[in-house]
Amino acid sequence: MTVSGRSVEVRGLHKNYGPHLAVRDVSFHLQPGEFLTLLGPSGSGKTTTLMMVAGFEAPDRGEILVAGQDVAGLPPERRNFGVVFQGYALFPHMSVLENVAFPLRMRGLPGAEQRRRAGEMLEKVGLSAFAGRQPRQLSGGQQQRVALARALVFEPDALLLDEPLGALDRKLRESLQQEIKAIQRRVGISILFVTHDQDEAMGMSDRIAVMAEGRLVQLGSPAEVYLHPRTPFVAGFLGETNFLTGSFCGVADGLAVLRFADGSLGRARLPDGVAVPEQGGKALLSVRPERLRLLPDGPVAGVVESCTFLGRHARYVVQALGQSLALSTTEWSPGAALPAGAAVRLGWAAEDAQLLDG
Ligand code: ADP
Ligand code: MG
């Protein structure tokens, strides 16, 4: 059995709940076979967006196209999406095999065909041996795999997954993340995935759509959104960062030049689409702790507040530019750590700092 993914395009989706704007002008295009993740904090509009794609909620405005066809008038069961939502439970009184066969039964397939295809799907998620069990006789992770098998069995155009691993402990989460990726590679399906967990999004996605307050604020590969955030929100949500404020001096060799309050100069990348501040205007930049460096001739003077060895890396907190900056380094050895109060100089490669909007 091969399931080949279709594209799902969302254009200008809007949804109000009373006076409350849950989703504002959200657009993206899930490509055939792509793994696209909606990532954002709780309340940012991820579930509402997915519910509209699935057909459980009607948008106030906007379009949803599957392989170019508008699905606005279609009820959920005719949109041909496989759905796994958190708490979208298995049928407790049906066996595992009956659960997986259920979508085929609803589509009126003959009994023998239902059992054959459900059996094949259970094999794909590694649960053949559990076909006759009841859901309550399975672990949480096994139940999620049955839910996945049930969502995939009818050869859907795309899979919609809303925090499907949210209730599982970390080990199980990680193994099911691998499992979902492996199933996707095997069946070639398009996946629209929802999570608030940045590591999960980074590890699984071809592209990440970062959401905040109902809006899609940045869309790109995991590397793009992590390395080249465009807003303070994206920079801060995907991992830790230092925000530095200075006055904008201009652009030299394609890089932004800033002057900090202590008179030192710093340079930063200008990510695509970021508004260039006016001369002398306030400019904000982001430098991640692992990109901030202790450099003997760095432009910025600082004083070590603390140094903590964390195994994979050591973390310094350095007082500089009137604030506490986080710096992480793998170049650390016992006895070589700088003590609190040590004077240091800091710097960064220009391409490791991002000028931000706002
Ligand atoms: P997320 O999945 O990112 O946590 P949701 O899409 O569930 O966010 O919610 C987005 C916003 O819409 C939240 O502020 C939430 O309180 C609100 N909301 C969601 N569903 C409803 C509803 N049925 N009625 C009223 N408000 C809702
Ligand atoms: Mg949600």
Side-chain angles (χ1 to χ4, degrees):
M1 182 174 66
T2 6
V3 181
S4 52
R6 302 252 206 148
S7 78
V8 178
E9 187 176 5
V10 156
R11 289 187 193 155
L13 275 195
H14 251 278
K15 180 73 183 177
N16 285 304
Y17 289 113
H20 187 88
L21 260 177
V23 172
R24 319 177 194 203
D25 196 25
V26 166
S27 301
F28 56 80
H29 195 163
L30 172 70
Q31 303 294 329
E34 188 185 22
F35 195 117
L36 176 66
T37 296
L38 306 181
L39 170 69
S42 175
S44 58
K46 307 178 302 290
T47 293
T48 306
T49 301
L50 209 66
M51 292 295 239
M52 290 191 280
V53 173
F56 296 116
E57 290 281 2
D60 297 330
R61 272 210 307 282
E63 291 174 294
I64 298 157
L65 307 167
V66 178
Q69 300 293 308
D70 192 341
V71 297
L74 297 180
E77 65 277 10
R78 297 210 28 226
R79 294 192 181 191
N80 210 35
F81 294 132
V83 174
V84 181
F85 288 173
Q86 207 179 349
Y88 192 73
L90 300 174
F91 306 113
H93 303 298
M94 291 184 191
S95 71
V96 164
L97 188 77
E98 285 163 348
N99 263 281
V100 177
F102 183 79
L104 304 175
R105 200 169 108 203
M106 294 319 288
R107 285 165 174 77
L109 269 71
E113 175 77 0
Q114 286 177 33
R115 282 187 298 279
R116 185 183 64 78
R117 282 175 55 179
E120 277 178 18
M121 204 62 237
L122 277 178
E123 206 170 294
K124 286 207 169 100
V125 298
L127 288 176
S128 296
F130 300 81
R133 289 208 195 173
Q134 304 280 303
R136 67 185 153 74
Q137 296 170 305
L138 303 179
S139 71
Q142 290 165 337
Q143 289 184 27
Q144 285 302 68
R145 273 147 68 190
V146 176
L148 264 179
R150 187 176 63 179
L152 281 164
V153 75
F154 58 95
E155 305 189 0
D157 290 330
L159 208 51
L160 311 180
L161 306 177
D162 191 353
E163 314 235 9
L165 312 177
L168 307 173
D169 64 52
R170 197 169 67 95
K171 265 243 154 72
L172 201 48
R173 265 176 99 94
E174 283 169 4
S175 91
L176 272 172
Q177 287 167 5
Q178 299 306 319
E179 189 108 29
I180 291 173
K181 286 299 286 179
I183 292 171
Q184 190 212 7
R185 276 191 292 269
R186 236 175 297 151
V187 300
I189 196 170
S190 324
I191 297 184
L192 186 56
F193 190 85
V194 161
T195 185
H196 64 271
D197 180 326
Q198 42 132 335
D199 292 328
E200 188 164 278
M202 295 280 292
M204 297 184 80
S205 316
D206 295 314
R207 286 188 303 159
I208 297 174
V210 184
M211 294 193 65
E213 294 174 349
R215 292 180 200 283
L216 197 168
V217 290
Q218 191 167 345
L219 176 63
S221 68
E224 278 160 6
V225 291
Y226 184 83
L227 295 174
H228 303 150
R230 283 203 294 262
T231 68
F233 175 80
V234 176
F237 194 71
L238 280 133
E240 196 188 357
T241 200
N242 296 294
F243 293 112
L244 305 176
T245 308
S247 77
F248 187 68
C249 303
V251 178
D253 300 328
L255 297 165
V257 181
L258 282 75
R259 186 179 298 281
F260 299 111
D262 68 352
S264 62
L265 291 176
R267 294 189 304 156
R269 265 186 85 253
L270 277 158
D272 288 343
V274 167
V276 178
E278 56 190 73
Q279 186 91 20
K282 185 186 149 191
L284 180 67
L285 63 82
S286 155
V287 191
R288 299 220 179 264
E290 69 272 21
R291 301 289 172 155
L292 192 59
R293 314 262 309 274
L294 294 168
L295 299 170
D297 53 356
V300 175
V303 174
V304 171
E305 280 179 21
S306 64
C307 175
T308 314
F309 178 58
L310 295 165
R312 266 184 299 183
H313 65 274
R315 179 192 165 87
Y316 282 97
V317 178
V318 179
Q319 183 69 32
L321 300 173
Q323 63 191 102
S324 291
L325 301 178
L327 182 155
S328 73
T329 177
T330 52
E331 286 160 28
W332 188 92
S333 59
L338 293 166
V344 292
R345 299 204 68 90
L346 304 172
W348 56 86
E351 62 271 20
D352 288 341
Q354 314 299 313
L355 188 77
L356 302 175
D357 255 339

